[in-house]
Amino acid sequence: MIETGSVETVYRSCPICEASCGLQLEVDRSSKKVLTIRGDQADPRSSGYICPKSQAMKAVYEDPDRIRHPLRRTENGFEEISWEEALDEVGKRLKDIREAHGPNAVGSYIGNPTGHNFGAMLYTAFFMQALGSYRAFNGGSVDQFPKNVSCSLLYGDPWLFPIPDIDRTDFLIILGANPLVSQGSLLSAPNAKARLRAHRDKGGKLITIDPRRTETAAVSDEHLFIKPGSDAFLLFAFVHVLFEEKLVAPGRLETFVDGIETVQELAQPFAPEQVAQATGISAEAIRNLVREFAAAERSVLYGRFGTCTQEFGTLTSWLVDVVNILTGNFDRPGGLMFPRAATGQTEPVAEPNPDMVYGENRSAVREVPVIDGQMPVAVMAEEIDSAGEDRLRGFITVAGNPILSTPNGARLGKAFEQLDFMVSIDIYLNETTRYADIILPTTTHLEHSNYDFLFSTTSVRNMARFSPQVFEPDPEARHHWLLLLEVAARMNGIPWETLDDMMLAGMLATFLGKPDTAGENVSPEQAREKLSDERGPERLLDLMLRAGPGGDGFDDSAEGLSLEKLSAVPHAVDLGPLEPRLPELLRTVNRRINLAPALIIEDVPRLRTACERFGSQKGLVLVGRRQLQNMNSWLHNLEPLAKGKSRCTLLIHPHDAERAGLPASGGLVCIRSRTGELQVQAEVSDEMMPGVVSLPHGYGHGVKGTKLSVASALQPGVNTNLLADELLIDELSGTSVLCGIPVEVSAE
Ligand SMILES: Nc1nc2c(c(=O)[nH]1)N[C@H]1C(S)=C(S)[C@@H](COP(=O)(O)OP(=O)(O)OC[C@H]3O[C@@H](n4cnc5c(=O)[nH]c(N)nc54)[C@H](O)[C@@H]3O)O[C@H]1N2
Ligand SMILES: Nc1nc2c(c(=O)[nH]1)N[C@H]1C(S)=C(S)[C@@H](COP(=O)(O)OP(=O)(O)OC[C@H]3O[C@@H](n4cnc5c(=O)[nH]c(N)nc54)[C@H](O)[C@@H]3O)O[C@H]1N2
Ligand code: SF4
Ligand SMILES: [Mo]
């Protein structure tokens, strides 16, 4: 903190997206005002870079629509109630449901901002255990869940993600991601544009494969259109050519990778000539791509959102890693690599994890498997409206807006109305929380500290970053982590402090004693003595840092990290480039990678039979797109980000527009799917692949009963997830198809 008069300079990371850029804030603590937010030039990760959403922290804090007191729904709208009343009622109602109908009658949905708040993250994991319900939903099954499943199968842990080392590669393929706008996902790398430019300036090649000629495609050497959902065909053909042309060269990986021959057999039917029609990419283009990729010194294939939320999401996510492994571009500089978190969650374990828990429990209606404790959002509505006596009766949403972010929001809204009780832990009265009986608001980022906990496991360079609290919270405000504890405690009739003690004991057991970390020879008692008595996430963070790979081992005089030392550094701490970590890091039995797991093998026939269908596809399909000023659904109420012309438009290729009877200037269209129908402004553009239309998600704010005055006035838009069909899923993982939804478009 640097003080001049009453204005102080504070440094924090931006909590909005994964890039986690360094910010420099000018603040006046006496009046609790943020004067300016700028890029922190001295931040080693972002070097001053920011995007327009960097202003969000201030705007959210100041937003008069933001909820500051607990609310209860009444016949005449929501009324403010006291914390005691609110928490008592939440605890009692959920407890009653659980006692009468069992733990699985209470479900939950955890949304994206949880991942950007370390206190929320740590305590959510514990909260889910305390709930003990297998109806545990979260944003993952409309996002990266197929990657989790693939990582679980290959590396023994759903959260061990290999990250593309984009700064050190020579040849980069970006498949189904648009980092120029999204700023990277499972790739925490501020200023993607500058990095990709630097990659090309030093002679590196960049190829983007996407059904839209995106902002990222515009800075690439080459862009290939691909039919939505057909990536698994392309990648199997890639593998086919690697074998056919003897380009398979896993190198050092061969000593701990099994199943390569099986992969060869699986790829056999997918010659480029066989898949050209299905993918929309010529056999020649596929062969050239493979040859160039294999010939480059260091190559990396990076797949993200578009490769996950599709009919073959898990096969595709698996194939992305297979391609990198077969060509030796894995666990080495310039390929896919595993970051090392200072907090110790990505350290080798003494004992391998048991296998992925797949399908021990199944949903009541469609019987989709619960995987590693998660049920996919595609079945959320039916578990409420069609499961009879076994139905979901109580529901908790935490920092999520599933009405706008999960498929068939209309059905979900009706289902929410049938619940016996719903509570939302959220800071806005929005399209989802309006269904809640009680809303519990939390403090926002300026009022609590933060640590880039999740994104230190996805960063292109190892890093540690603590962000201090800027303002004291209002006396009425409650932290997110505390609310989770309070709710769980009241459901169990015990003080929240007891739960917090249990949480600390669990963390001590988990994070001490790991080989090659500073906590290897420290006992829980020794560690506990050094930790603060103040409850909450900071002492848990201190524990993880001090016990972690670069920690001080709870020795105050030793070198190494502790929360105190990290707090003294105003910027991110760079902990060096990613380094090879295999096979030690693997959490599989014998620390080996089985490249051809049974679940994957069993899913390949489903792909084979779909090849002809993709090849003869005639109608239009819908995909999404992200925009720089949005973050999913929740920043549209901030004027600086919402102003300007309406952004929720349907992009359509000129040929398709003509077929739909539209003028070249676009105009209003009607777009229909099995589940819904929307009227929306069309924009005719050849940046779309013919046969594919694009609509951004997170809009649809013009509904009654919300308190989003700016969003409703400036950017109401339409909810594209009324068109997303809850019956369309990647069968292996249960993830919803958001890329490639069959639609019809006609002029209004
Ligand atoms: N069609 C389509 N659907 C999609 C996507 C797509 O590309 N296309 N993308 C998907 C992806 S990748 C994701 S991650 C999901 C996101 O899905 P969600 O997480 O459900 O959606 P968000 O819009 O991020 O909702 C964030 C919620 O958290 C609240 N919130 C914000 N900050 C805080 C806070 O500090 N504390 C608390 N308690 N609440 C807070 C907001 O008010 C809002 O209600 O959407 C998915 N849905
Ligand atoms: N500005 C902004 N930034 C964000 C967000 C936001 O809402 N706004 N959301 C954040 C979140 S939660 C996430 S998860 C990340 C996601 O970040 P990214 O993974 O970069 O996702 P998108 O930007 O949606 O890009 C997905 C691309 O896949 C393409 N695509 C669609 N279908 C297919 C297909 O079948 N195959 C292929 N190959 N491509 C396909 C789309 O046209 C699109 O260009 O972004 C994060 N950053
Ligand atoms: S890219 Fe923008 S939203 Fe993302 S962390 Fe940086 S400033 Fe924040
Ligand atoms: Mo996401």
Side-chain angles (χ1 to χ4, degrees), residues 421-494:
F421 183 72
M422 174 168 160
V423 53
S424 291
I425 299 181
D426 207 288
I427 55 174
Y428 282 103
L429 175 47
N430 63 21
E431 300 74 17
T432 294
T433 60
R434 72 187 171 124
Y435 291 102
D437 296 286
I438 302 244
I439 308 177
L440 304 173
T442 66
T443 50
T444 75
H445 276 272
L446 290 168
E447 301 165 295
H448 59 76
S449 60
N450 203 16
Y451 180 82
D452 299 334
F453 184 69
L454 180 57
F455 306 126
S456 64
T457 69
T458 60
S459 179
V460 278
R461 283 179 70 88
N462 289 320
M463 59 105 161
R465 172 57 187 254
F466 180 74
S467 297
Q469 179 191 59
V470 179
F471 299 139
E472 276 298 318
D474 290 337
E476 258 294 283
R478 296 284 185 281
H479 291 310
H480 194 127
W481 62 267
L482 181 60
L483 291 178
L484 295 172
L485 278 183
E486 290 257 28
V487 170
R490 281 164 208 247
M491 283 177 74
N492 289 290
I494 49 174

Side-chain angles (χ1 to χ4, degrees), residues 112 139 142-144 185 304-305 626 631-632:
N112 175 280
V142 271
D143 188 348
Q144 84 296 333
S185 176
R304 230 333 347 248
F305 185 82
R626 289 185 150 71
M631 180 61 184
N632 299 318

